[in-house]
Amino acid sequence: MNIMLFHSTYGLRPAVHAAADRLRAAGHQVQVPDLFEGRTFGTVEEGMAHQDEIGRDELLKRAVLASAPYSDRGLVYAGFSFGGSLAQHLAMADEKARGLLLLHGTADLEDGASVDELPVQLHIADPDPFEPHDWLTAWYLRMQRAGADVEVHSYPGAGHLFTDPELDDYDAEAAEQLWKVAIGFLDSL
């Protein structure tokens, strides 16, 4: 499977490269574009400030440009937190998308969004300060109405970005479970 994996608001950190390596070891081709052009951040606030400086439209444009050379093959779009929101936007707009793997984050859906049974898997902390239960319920229902085939996996007690060993959110047990389930999902596409 060809996967386009987008980093979080922290930037292209070692945990993103490690995730890509794990997916490659499972037999997948993975691209990891650097949407922040080499900048990484130690706090979510610093990353969000940089994200705001660049602007959402510019970041989406960068994500589209990074994906374009690979999209004819049928990509699985994936992303961590903010990167998941970008992945969701691209997958919902790409009729050749093979799947959507959301790690720690979602995005609002465009009005009239429609896909043809797009396989979607979301992995989320429970509770998650950036993805409250009410939001997730509404997101799930809107994704289903749009035609997506959605699975949600929640991890009680884990922190928001629980797959990054350099962050306080890290939860080794939850991270291992996530990768086991996510690789199974990718293998099934």
Side-chain angles (χ1 to χ4, degrees):
M1 194 58 51
N2 294 308
I3 302 167
M4 183 63 57
L5 180 62
F6 296 108
H7 60 74
S8 75
T9 195
Y10 285 93
L12 189 53
R13 295 164 49 91
V16 180
H17 288 295
D21 289 344
R22 182 184 290 249
L23 296 172
R24 288 181 188 115
H28 303 286
Q29 295 178 6
V30 184
Q31 304 300 318
V32 286
D34 185 353
L35 304 179
F36 287 175
E37 300 174 329
R39 303 257 334 250
T40 59
F41 301 95
T43 68
V44 69
E45 293 81 12
E46 291 170 347
M48 290 176 94
H50 182 68
Q51 189 178 300
D52 289 344
E53 285 173 24
I54 295 171
R56 178 131 183 112
D57 288 345
E58 174 62 23
L59 289 167
L60 194 53
K61 178 182 170 185
R62 291 178 186 183
V64 168
L65 290 172
S67 302
Y70 307 96
S71 63
D72 279 347
R73 299 183 219 164
L75 286 170
V76 172
Y77 293 93
F80 293 95
S81 190
F82 167 70
S85 71
L86 294 174
Q88 180 182 309
H89 283 291
L90 270 62
M92 297 297 286
D94 182 353
E95 63 186 31
K96 293 183 180 180
R98 300 280 307 275
L100 175 59
L101 177 61
L102 299 170
L103 309 166
H104 319 295
T106 64
D108 202 1
L109 274 72
E110 303 292 327
D111 288 336
S114 178
V115 292
D116 188 16
E117 298 181 8
L118 179 72
V120 177
Q121 191 174 80
L122 168 64
H123 296 267
I124 198 82
D126 184 17
D128 187 304
F130 298 101
E131 304 280 333
H133 288 134
D134 290 350
W135 165 263
L136 288 172
T137 300
W139 173 86
Y140 178 82
L141 294 172
R142 290 191 72 196
M143 286 293 281
Q144 283 196 316
R145 279 195 302 271
D149 180 13
V150 183
E151 292 177 29
V152 177
H153 299 269
S154 61
Y155 300 83
H160 175 65
L161 269 169
F162 61 85
T163 54
D164 189 331
E166 294 181 357
L167 298 177
D168 290 341
D169 288 348
Y170 182 62
D171 183 319
E173 185 177 326
E176 282 306 310
Q177 181 63 25
L178 177 151
W179 290 118
K180 178 181 173 187
V181 173
I183 289 171
F185 170 72
L186 293 168
D187 289 346
S188 74
L189 298 177

